[in-house]
Amino acid sequence: MKIIEEKFNRYGEQDYDKEYIKWGFDDLETQFVMAEKLQRLFPENSTNVLDIACGISRYHQVWLKSGYEVTGIDISNTFIEYSKDYNSAFEKASYFVCDFNELSYDNEFDVAIWTDPVGLTGVSTNRVFNALKPSGIFIYEMWNENYFKYHTDERHNDCRTWTYHDGVYRLVRHEYNRATCVSEHEEIIFDIPNDTMIHKTGLGTKNVNCYCHVQIMEAAGFRNVRFVDYEGQPFNTENQQIKQFFMIGEK
């Protein structure tokens, strides 16, 4: 049997993204609750929102029904097409395929949001800063590493699936360790008709810690960088009881 080893980036690949829609997103109610909490953080008189790595954008309806203009970007054409179809009834919804490192907006948005991110870099933060209007805010969701260090039963988010079609067996393993903030993805494909096994491993991603994030934000020009919980209250990063929180920076 021929054995092939491959490395790949996962997101943006059509086959992967179609499967990810089935298991990779929170249920609709959870997404809507999150969108409502985010909306409470929006500055007064804000009118337009940029959602980075928007996924399939179902929760955008919370903001659209409140009158906001919503622009979603994602590297996945599959997710963007899904978003366009799902929110087609709203004239103020716009969706584009775009790598967040290649954002070219200039002083256009009151709010920029990035939830469940893979990691903040200097390039992407500068692009977000440029996209915001003066006094606009960037809301960035973060996992609380301290929570998952002490709640081991919730540390891993795992997905393992077997599928079979036309003589091809496919095993998908996706794991996210919330304590170390490391994401792993692996696929094993047995192509019986062609006597081939393909072993595909995704390029791992890891988030940097809270304090590095603050420095990246400040270097891009953001001021008053702070951490808040989902209710908008100040958050101490030593807290062991809260799973996720937001970092907010103002332009």
Side-chain angles (χ1 to χ4, degrees), residues 16 29 43 102 104 116 125 135 149 158 171 191 225:
Y16 175 84
E29 181 180 358
E102 298 177 0
S104 58
D116 200 17
T125 310
S135 300
K149 287 176 183 177
D158 301 334
L171 169 65
D191 186 344
V225 179

Side-chain angles (χ1 to χ4, degrees), residues 4-90:
I4 301 173
E5 292 281 349
E6 296 181 359
K7 295 283 187 180
F8 67 117
N9 286 322
R10 301 168 300 161
Y11 298 107
E13 294 190 0
Q14 187 177 39
D15 290 343
Y16 175 84
D17 292 346
K18 286 181 177 179
E19 289 298 315
Y20 190 88
I21 289 175
K22 300 176 183 178
W23 55 263
F25 296 100
D26 290 332
D27 63 84
L28 191 58
E29 181 180 358
T30 300
Q31 291 186 37
F32 273 42
V33 169
M34 168 70 81
E36 291 167 355
K37 292 181 182 296
L38 283 164
Q39 187 172 320
R40 297 188 193 112
L41 301 175
F42 293 178
E44 189 175 357
N45 300 321
S46 58
T47 61
N48 48 26
V49 179
L50 172 65
D51 189 9
I52 301 162
C54 62
I56 54 178
S57 310
R58 295 183 293 184
Y59 55 90
H60 286 178
Q61 293 194 5
V62 172
W63 307 330
L64 291 163
K65 290 177 180 178
S66 297
Y68 290 93
E69 295 180 21
V70 180
T71 299
I73 66 161
D74 201 289
I75 197 171
S76 168
N77 183 69
T78 301
F79 294 167
I80 290 300
E81 290 303 313
Y82 185 106
S83 299
K84 288 178 179 178
D85 181 67
Y86 192 85
N87 294 319
S88 60
F90 297 92

Side-chain angles (χ1 to χ4, degrees), residues 60-228:
H60 286 178
Q61 293 194 5
V62 172
W63 307 330
L64 291 163
K65 290 177 180 178
S66 297
Y68 290 93
E69 295 180 21
V70 180
T71 299
I73 66 161
D74 201 289
I75 197 171
S76 168
N77 183 69
T78 301
F79 294 167
I80 290 300
E81 290 303 313
Y82 185 106
S83 299
K84 288 178 179 178
D85 181 67
Y86 192 85
N87 294 319
S88 60
F90 297 92
E91 294 182 358
K92 293 184 176 182
S94 303
Y95 299 100
F96 304 96
V97 177
C98 179
D99 185 327
F100 54 78
N101 287 315
E102 298 177 0
L103 281 174
S104 58
Y105 297 108
D106 185 29
N107 294 303
E108 294 187 39
F109 299 96
D110 300 302
V111 182
I113 294 170
W114 195 353
T115 58
D116 200 17
V118 296
L120 201 60
T121 67
V123 173
S124 59
T125 310
N126 287 334
R127 299 293 187 271
V128 174
F129 184 85
N130 293 336
L132 289 168
K133 299 175 184 176
S135 300
I137 67 167
F138 179 24
I139 305 173
Y140 180 85
E141 184 186 36
M142 302 181 70
W143 291 98
N144 181 9
E145 295 179 20
N146 285 319
Y147 178 91
F148 294 104
K149 287 176 183 177
Y150 298 98
H151 296 76
T152 57
D153 57 321
E154 300 182 51
R155 182 174 296 172
H156 292 87
N157 177 24
D158 301 334
C159 174
R160 293 180 177 86
T161 57
W162 272 107
T163 58
Y164 171 80
H165 182 69
D166 291 340
V168 178
Y169 294 86
R170 184 188 188 103
L171 169 65
V172 176
R173 179 186 68 85
H174 182 85
E175 294 186 0
Y176 182 68
N177 186 324
R178 296 188 177 107
T180 60
C181 296
V182 174
S183 178
E184 298 179 0
H185 186 84
E186 178 182 29
E187 296 183 13
I188 300 174
I189 302 166
F190 292 99
D191 186 344
I192 305 302
N194 293 304
D195 195 30
T196 301
M197 185 194 83
I198 303 173
H199 181 215
K200 304 172 72 174
T201 52
L203 301 178
T205 59
K206 186 180 189 305
N207 292 342
V208 295
N209 65 39
C210 302
Y211 303 103
C212 290
H213 277 113
V214 172
Q215 292 176 330
I216 291 171
M217 293 277 282
E218 291 177 340
F222 285 101
R223 57 187 174 82
N224 192 22
V225 179
R226 59 197 183 276
F227 300 132
V228 301

